[in-house]
Every structure is written in structure tokens, then in C-alpha cells.
Amino acid sequence: MLSTTLVYIVLAIAAFPSIYYLIALFSSWRFFRRKSPASAGFAPPVSILKPIRGLDPDAYENFASFCRLDYPEYEIVFCAGEDEPAVALIERLKREYPERPIRILFGSGRTGAVNDKVAKLARLTGEARYEHLVISDSDVRVQPDYLHKLVAPLANPQTGAATCFYLSTGEKSFADRLQTVGMISDFYAGLLVARQLDGVKFALGTTIATTRTHLASFGGYGSIENKPADDLLVGRLIAEQGYEVELLPYTIEAVSDYESMRELLYKRMRWLVVMRHMRPWGHLGLIFAQGLAWSILAAVLAPGAAAGYLGAYVVLRLAMMWAIGVHGLKCRALWRKMPLVVVWDALATILWLVSFLRSSIRWRGGDYYIRDGLLVPASGD
């Protein structure tokens, strides 16, 4: 039987997630009441850089959306292997949009690179025609105002990069829907809290707008090609040079492709293990964000307080999802998925605990260790 003092200590700690949720609600309110930065007349030529590996669902439509941008001058540069199935789609794109400058580079030209995406980005940034760059994943789909929104913050000489949220589209599986719930209620909530408390020192790989000069200030993609979480690193390293990284209240789309729960679990575990290495204290601090687990523990230790703890958990979690997803990101379809937040939180807690036992990550079909901040193939042991 636990002593009364210990029970009170556990009950006090069990209230911490509610405090975190309230901070997340305040942070989202502060963020979404802003307007996207605007700079009339600022529209420098832009190179859109796309590293390609494999073939995403609806890949052609994703690529084609970048050819329909309402922007005066830009080029699209792809980098892929010569045998990639996406090459045929890019050639089709060039035929159907002859007015758009579209180039394709074959291979990264770098040997010994573990992170193929970053190696390709190193070549792309070196061969891009323009100073202003927009890096974009291959599964992204955008609206005609995309470049104007992303590039506008760079008119401010104190801004070194801009990034934005994305929403999943084309959900076909339970894993897709669960990923959306976790992304909005968990990942985005954490980003907004981090922005409120410490500023933006990260970027999201789906889209990053920056310049050659800002990338060169930390050594460019070549300096991080064997490191995990290149998107987070780009934002952090630019911020460390004394520049601001702008997180925009603007969304793009990313086509969902989780065919199974296994794929979702591998991706989540990879992210958790990478964060454990890159931000160990922040990763450990996630213990105070596990609202479901703490509420259940509080209910077991103090049945009389069960309704209060569990009720506060449910209300605040649903309020966070509404504030970020429905109100902020205008994702109206999220209403139907909101009950899944309990499933996500249970899964997230289990994976967080397991992440302390993992020494490797699964990435693009291979297993890797993270040693001294670098990716090392597990097969090399």
C-alpha cells in the first residue's frame, strides 16, 4: 500500500500533462491569430529542389501541382537515380508543361553517403540556378500561391528560412487516419509549444524556403549528409547563425502512404530514437506530456479523483485537436477522427517507453545506429 504522501506526489505529477495541454492551447491561439508575412513586390527567382527516391502515391499530380504556381520566375530541379520509376513521370511533366523550366539530375555524385536524400540535396543546391531555394518532398502537393507564401518571409534580412505545416490527403487506411491524429494533436502541438517557449529552431522537411547563402553559412547539406533529421538540423543550424526561422500559419498537402500499422510504428519509433539522441533531455521530458497514462494512474490511486483527472484529460486533448486542426489548419474532416486521440496517446506512450530500449532505427528498408550524431549502417557491425 502506497503511503498517503507518495499518492499525493503522484497526483501532483499527474496534473503536469494538463498544464502542458493548457500551454499548447495558448501557444496555438497565439500562433494562429497571426497572419502570414507579406512583402509586396518581393518575388525573387526561385529554384524548387526535389530529391526523388521511389514512387509516391499520386506522384504525377504532386509534381504537376508545382507547374501551376502563380509566380513570375522559377525552375524545378529533380534529382533521382537513372532507374527510378519517377523519371518517366518527370519526362512526361516536361512534355506537358513546356513553359516551365524543369531539369532532372541523375544521382547525387557522392560516394559513401548514408543519407541518400541529403546527398541529393547537396548536389541540387550546388546546381540550382537561383539564390533563393525551396526544398520540397516528393509526396507534397501545393496550391498556386505556394511560392508567394513561402518566399515572402525571406524579404526580411533577419529571416534565414521559412517552413510550414502540412496536412495529409488521400487517407485510405486506419494507419493513415491515426497518423493524422498524432501529427496534429501531438507533433504539431509540441512544435507550437517549442515556438512559444524557445522560438523556432527547426524546419519541416516537407517544405523549407531559404537561400544558398544561409545554407553555406553552416557548410550546406554536404556537412550533414550522414546525419539523421536533416530538416530539423537545417532549421537549427540557420538559427544558430543568428537568423530567424519562420513557421508559417499556412498549410500544404502530403499524400498519405501508410499501408500498414507496421510502417507507422517504424516511422514513429525512428523519430523518437532520433530525438532521444539529438535532444535527450527534451525526449526524457515527454514523461510530463503522457496525459492518458498519468490520468489512469491517478484514477487507480485515488478513485475519488478519477472523474476529474480523466475528464480534464479528455476535454483538454479534444480542445487541442480542435484548436490546432479544425480552427487553425482548417481541417474540417478532423471531427470524425477526434476520438482516435485516445488510441494515439496509448500507442505513443508505449512507443516512447520502448524507445529507451532501442539502439537502432529502421529507415528506407535498412537498419542504422546513431553514433556521435551520425547514421551508421547496422550491417557494418
Side-chain angles (χ1 to χ4, degrees):
M1 188 91 177
L2 292 177
S3 69
T4 301
T5 300
L6 186 56
V7 169
Y8 282 141
I9 291 173
V10 172
L11 292 178
I13 296 174
F16 284 10
S18 292
I19 297 172
Y20 169 74
Y21 297 156
L22 289 170
I23 295 172
L25 281 168
F26 175 74
S27 301
S28 63
W29 173 76
R30 286 286 306 274
F31 178 77
F32 287 112
R33 68 196 294 262
R34 305 163 58 238
K35 292 183 179 179
S36 294
S39 181
F42 183 76
V46 172
S47 293
I48 298 174
L49 311 181
K50 282 191 165 292
I52 303 296
R53 181 169 176 175
L55 193 64
D56 298 301
D58 302 328
Y60 182 77
E61 182 55 35
N62 298 341
F63 297 162
S65 69
F66 285 84
C67 297
R68 307 181 190 124
L69 301 179
D70 179 18
Y71 198 81
E73 185 177 355
Y74 67 96
E75 67 167 350
I76 308 172
V77 192
F78 296 88
C79 187
E82 293 189 17
D83 58 348
E84 290 282 359
V87 172
L89 298 184
I90 297 169
E91 294 297 339
R92 175 186 165 193
L93 203 70
K94 292 165 70 174
R95 293 192 301 271
E96 297 188 2
Y97 295 91
E99 74 281 7
R100 296 298 181 204
I102 300 171
R103 291 189 285 145
I104 180 168
L105 309 176
F106 291 106
S108 67
R110 306 174 78 88
T111 58
V114 175
N115 193 327
D116 179 67
K117 173 191 171 183
V118 178
K120 287 173 178 171
L121 282 170
R123 183 179 181 191
L124 283 165
T125 54
E127 300 198 28
R129 184 174 300 159
Y130 303 122
E131 166 71 5
H132 287 78
L133 309 174
V134 169
I135 295 101
S136 175
D137 282 348
S138 59
D139 61 350
V140 166
R141 188 175 301 176
V142 296
Q143 296 300 315
D145 65 349
Y146 169 73
L147 278 185
H148 278 295
K149 294 290 189 181
L150 263 293
V151 174
L154 300 180
N156 181 350
Q158 296 303 312
T159 300
T163 191
C164 71
F165 292 123
Y166 61 93
L167 291 174
S168 297
T169 186
E171 296 174 347
K172 299 181 179 67
S173 66
F174 175 76
D176 283 338
R177 294 189 290 274
L178 194 60
Q179 157 67 8
T180 295
V181 169
M183 179 177 64
I184 291 174
S185 70
D186 190 351
F187 182 49
Y188 288 174
L191 294 183
L192 291 171
V193 170
R195 175 187 174 274
Q196 181 66 35
L197 299 180
D198 194 35
V200 180
K201 297 178 180 176
F202 55 84
L204 302 180
T206 44
T207 279
I208 304 171
T210 187
T211 66
R212 287 180 190 271
T213 302
H214 290 307
L215 292 177
S217 69
F218 65 81
Y221 277 102
S223 68
I224 60 172
E225 67 180 21
N226 288 330
K227 296 183 178 181
D230 55 279
D231 48 355
L232 184 150
L233 278 173
V234 166
R236 176 189 292 179
L237 292 170
I238 289 177
E240 287 178 355
Q241 303 303 311
Y243 294 97
E244 294 179 4
V245 178
E246 186 77 46
L247 178 62
L248 301 174
Y250 176 76
T251 58
I252 56 176
E253 293 182 338
V255 178
S256 298
D257 62 349
Y258 292 98
E259 296 181 358
S260 67
M261 282 296 297
R262 174 178 290 185
E263 292 181 29
L264 176 59
L265 295 177
Y266 275 134
K267 180 175 181 179
R268 178 67 179 178
M269 183 57 65
R270 181 175 74 242
W271 183 82
L272 286 169
V273 174
V274 168
M275 289 303 103
R276 195 188 89 212
H277 283 82
M278 296 185 68
R279 299 178 63 250
W281 288 109
H283 183 71
L284 183 62
L286 290 177
I287 190 173
F288 299 117
Q290 311 299 328
L292 177 62
W294 283 109
S295 296
I296 292 174
L297 181 59
V300 171
L301 295 179
Y309 278 92
L310 292 171
Y313 159 74
V314 171
V315 169
L316 289 174
R317 287 299 275 142
L318 293 180
M320 285 171 62
M321 284 197 67
W322 179 88
I324 298 171
V326 180
H327 172 71
L329 301 178
K330 312 302 180 187
C331 183
R332 307 303 182 194
L334 190 64
W335 282 108
R336 297 191 298 272
K337 306 183 188 79
M338 288 176 74
L340 288 177
V341 71
V342 177
V343 179
W344 172 264
D345 283 354
L347 179 65
T349 299
I350 294 170
L351 291 176
W352 175 73
L353 291 170
V354 173
S355 71
F356 289 96
L357 307 176
R358 294 284 299 178
S359 60
S360 65
I361 60 172
R362 172 65 59 88
W363 185 59
R364 292 187 178 275
D367 292 314
Y368 299 86
Y369 297 114
I370 303 174
R371 291 177 176 163
D372 298 322
L374 300 176
L375 287 170
V376 179
S379 58
D381 271 18

